[in-house]
Amino acid sequence: MARKYLDQTRIAGVQYHEALFCRDKMQPGCELRIERDENNKYDPEAVALYCGEHKVGYIPKGENKLLALLLEQGWGEILEVYVYNVDLEQHPEHQYTINIYVKSRE
């Protein structure tokens, strides 16, 4: 299935969630699950990222509006998120870079 590149960003909140439990898996090419977090008290448009069952962080606040809208409207199946780069020497907020793609509905 064809896909198109949508955006590149970092994973926010890594130090507050469970990325540590997925450190071995979260290498370039690892697919992450994306879910809307409507009950987040810090960001009304929060979009969480998961590695398996572990919440590893969020799409950064201010960069999540379009993704939140797509997920709210039931278009989550067209989104794919992959780890692009890992640099564990950086501050946790900058350790993981991800690429977001939109899959073709064909």
Side-chain angles (χ1 to χ4, degrees), residues 44-59:
E45 296 174 328
V47 175
L49 297 165
Y50 290 83
C51 175
E53 296 303 313
H54 299 283
K55 183 187 292 184
V56 296
Y58 288 89
I59 300 293

Side-chain angles (χ1 to χ4, degrees), residues 32-57:
L32 302 177
R33 189 172 79 253
I34 186 169
E35 287 186 12
R36 183 72 168 84
D37 184 356
E38 295 176 5
N39 298 319
N40 186 297
K41 64 182 179 180
Y42 301 106
D43 183 0
E45 296 174 328
V47 175
L49 297 165
Y50 290 83
C51 175
E53 296 303 313
H54 299 283
K55 183 187 292 184
V56 296

Side-chain angles (χ1 to χ4, degrees), residues 17-80:
H17 299 287
E18 301 174 329
L20 180 63
F21 298 113
C22 294
R23 188 169 276 183
D24 291 340
K25 289 183 185 177
M26 286 184 48
Q27 298 301 316
C30 173
E31 186 171 9
L32 302 177
R33 189 172 79 253
I34 186 169
E35 287 186 12
R36 183 72 168 84
D37 184 356
E38 295 176 5
N39 298 319
N40 186 297
K41 64 182 179 180
Y42 301 106
D43 183 0
E45 296 174 328
V47 175
L49 297 165
Y50 290 83
C51 175
E53 296 303 313
H54 299 283
K55 183 187 292 184
V56 296
Y58 288 89
I59 300 293
K61 186 175 183 176
E63 297 180 33
N64 56 6
K65 189 172 186 169
L66 173 61
L67 296 172
L69 177 64
L70 290 170
L71 291 166
E72 285 172 9
Q73 297 301 316
W75 291 92
E77 74 276 358
I78 69 168
L79 299 172
E80 290 183 339

